[in-house]
Amino acid sequence: LTENRMTVVTLELACGAVRVEGTGLAPEGAFRLDGRVVDPEALPPLAAALDVGVLCNNASYDAAAAAGTGDPMELALLVAGTKGGRDRDALRAARPELAEHAFDPETRRMATLHRDGDGILAAVKGAPESLLPCCSTVLDAQGPRPLDAEARADWLRRADALAARGERVLVVARQRPPSVDAFAFRELELLGLVGFLDPPRPTVPAAVAACDAAGVRLVMVTGDHGATAWSIAGAVGLVPDRDAVEGDWEDARVLGSVAGLDGDARARLLERRVVARATPEQKLDLIRLHQAAGHVVAMTGDGVNDAPALRQADIGIAMGKRGTQVAREAAAMVLRDDELGSIVVAIAEGRAIFANIRKFVVYLMSCNVSEILAVGVAAVAMGPLPLLPLQILFLNLVTDVFPALALGVCRGHPGLMDRPPRPRGEAVLTAAQWRAIAGYGASIAVTVLAMLVIASQLLGVSDAEATTLTFTTLALAQLWHVFTMRDEASGLLRNEVTGNGWVWAAIGLCLALVALALGWTPLATILGLEPPSEGLGLAVLLSFVPAVLGQAGIAFRSRRKLRRASA
């Protein structure tokens, strides 16, 4: 949803809010307190906060190239440190790292311990609600002072205010334990709050709107503060009103699985569009909850901790640019450009492919049904056969195949993304498709049999000539039949079939092959065709009848659906 291009924009200190200028990975930017530029070295809380941000960090940054690798939030801290005159290598050389308490997604905090002269410095960062209760003092311009419960509540309100502006909030703190083993996340000295800005991607609002129109429900699940999540969700059009809830989902203080929720609580959670402060386990539980409700779930993720949820989802989608190797291996597919819009395009392509498969199958089966009915009825009536075996083979292998293959590459009707998803487990051919196959097949068969009767009874031509006329009628009727494979919501003249150049190429090729079969004596002899003395124009004319009837049926069904929708 966001560009994943974080920038430190605010350092909320005991002495006031410091605004940080500059964007992205550029190392230039001033620090302003109450509108005036300040030197970090002249403001101890600011200097200490920048030091901790650089030390408690696993990213890497090249200021000369304005590039780096690692977690975007940690990379933003390195950039802010560089703006404040901190060189990471020099700082770590002066304060070598002794140990690290890696980031824990459950507690949402991290610490590194460093040798600092004759003592030890613990650099700590984490979520406000996780670290503020662990702080007993706060550093201001005059030095440390006690931090009581009321002061902690005030800092939480300040964190909420930053989050409400769409900033991701981190607490930076420090401690000087007597030894590495003596360190614990308590009695910390609070240095301040760090506010990061991660702008929404400009393409996301359109993608969100497309998903809503297509009946695809987007749920934003994040470890960020609820106010931050709500701000981003509102900016991209994901929620019209406040809908963000904390990871405990209001219904349980500590949730190990959704088994602890009652029916009403589960129903409310299924309606949520934003879930904030979610742990990896809660992401997994949320996917299982939606699957239990019969939903098909696709989940995007990039971190190692996302791997279980990616594997549990029906479609796990790993980020290709910033995703970890573990996430990519756990996912079913990899999103190369990390763009939500690419997922929307994939959904549209998938729907078009499924629609093309249906067109392909309905077209071929209705053509085959017409041949079976025509030959079967003529055989039962003890009349001349409308088709000979080699003629059927010619139609099936030549004139049927090329239009069917062309249908398989139709671009799809634009209205496909304005419809709800098809039901889970729906067959390729439903009752509607079977009715279409029977109807189209019967109309073509009746037309061919009518040509057979006219040729035999009215025109009085020979059986061989009558077969040639019925062969021509059937071949052409099947070619025109391809245009009845259009979407019911599309126009008669402009639709995904008529706009497919391959369809026209297939029809041209098949017309040439039919003409070759009728006019080239060696092939006509093999197929048992004899040039008719009369009736060829009538055969061509009758071949349009099934297509006209098919288009009329499409128009009727389309109007009936519109009436039902308006009612």
Side-chain angles (χ1 to χ4, degrees), residues 246-399:
E246 296 296 322
D248 59 14
W249 300 332
E250 291 186 329
D251 301 289
R253 292 293 180 184
V254 179
L255 181 64
S257 70
V258 296
L261 297 177
D262 58 28
D264 291 340
R266 291 187 178 206
R268 287 196 300 272
L269 183 55
L270 285 171
E271 294 300 316
R272 292 291 179 184
R273 299 296 295 269
V274 179
V275 178
R277 287 303 191 210
T279 65
E281 184 179 7
Q282 289 171 332
K283 291 181 182 180
L284 185 61
D285 286 339
L286 186 61
I287 289 174
R288 288 171 174 165
L289 179 64
H290 278 276
Q291 289 175 329
H295 301 160
V296 178
V297 181
M299 187 264 188
T300 64
D302 57 4
V304 174
N305 294 322
D306 291 330
L310 287 169
R311 191 171 292 278
Q312 175 64 35
D314 296 282
I315 308 169
I317 307 172
M319 301 297 100
K321 287 186 175 181
R322 68 177 186 270
T324 62
Q325 184 65 30
V326 173
R328 290 196 292 267
E329 291 180 356
M333 62 181 66
V334 177
L335 192 61
R336 294 180 62 184
D337 59 3
D338 292 5
E339 285 279 355
L340 179 63
S342 296
I343 298 178
V344 176
V345 171
I347 294 172
E349 287 291 329
R351 291 187 176 189
I353 289 171
F354 189 83
N356 289 344
I357 292 173
R358 276 186 168 169
K359 289 182 175 72
F360 180 96
V361 175
V362 170
Y363 175 78
L364 281 182
M365 292 194 68
S366 54
C367 288
N368 289 333
V369 165
S370 68
E371 295 166 7
I372 293 171
L373 287 177
V375 173
V377 171
V380 171
M382 303 297 289
L385 291 178
L387 291 171
L388 300 179
L390 282 179
Q391 295 171 4
I392 295 174
L393 184 63
F394 180 85
L395 291 175
N396 286 341
L397 295 182
V398 179
T399 58

Side-chain angles (χ1 to χ4, degrees), residues 511-528:
L511 285 175
L513 292 172
V514 171
L516 186 67
L518 294 174
W520 190 39
T521 303
L523 182 58
T525 302
I526 293 173
L527 295 178

Side-chain angles (χ1 to χ4, degrees), residues 94-106:
R95 296 172 177 175
E97 184 175 319
L98 302 175
E100 176 182 327
H101 292 259
F103 176 78
D104 185 344
E106 297 292 334

Side-chain angles (χ1 to χ4, degrees), residues 103 107-110 124-128 130-131 169-172:
F103 176 78
T107 60
R108 297 189 291 275
R109 58 196 183 195
M110 170 188 177
V124 186
K125 71 175 188 285
S130 175
L131 275 188
V169 186
L170 202 64
V171 168
V172 286

Side-chain angles (χ1 to χ4, degrees), residues 2 11 42 49 84 87 110 178 180 196 201 210 221 237 253 256 279 294 305 343 356-357 410 441 512-513 537 544 554:
T2 61
L11 285 162
D87 181 81
M110 170 188 177
V180 171
F196 304 80
R201 294 178 185 267
V221 187
R253 292 293 180 184
T279 65
N305 294 322
I343 298 178
N356 289 344
I357 292 173
C410 286
L513 292 172
F544 287 98
I554 292 174

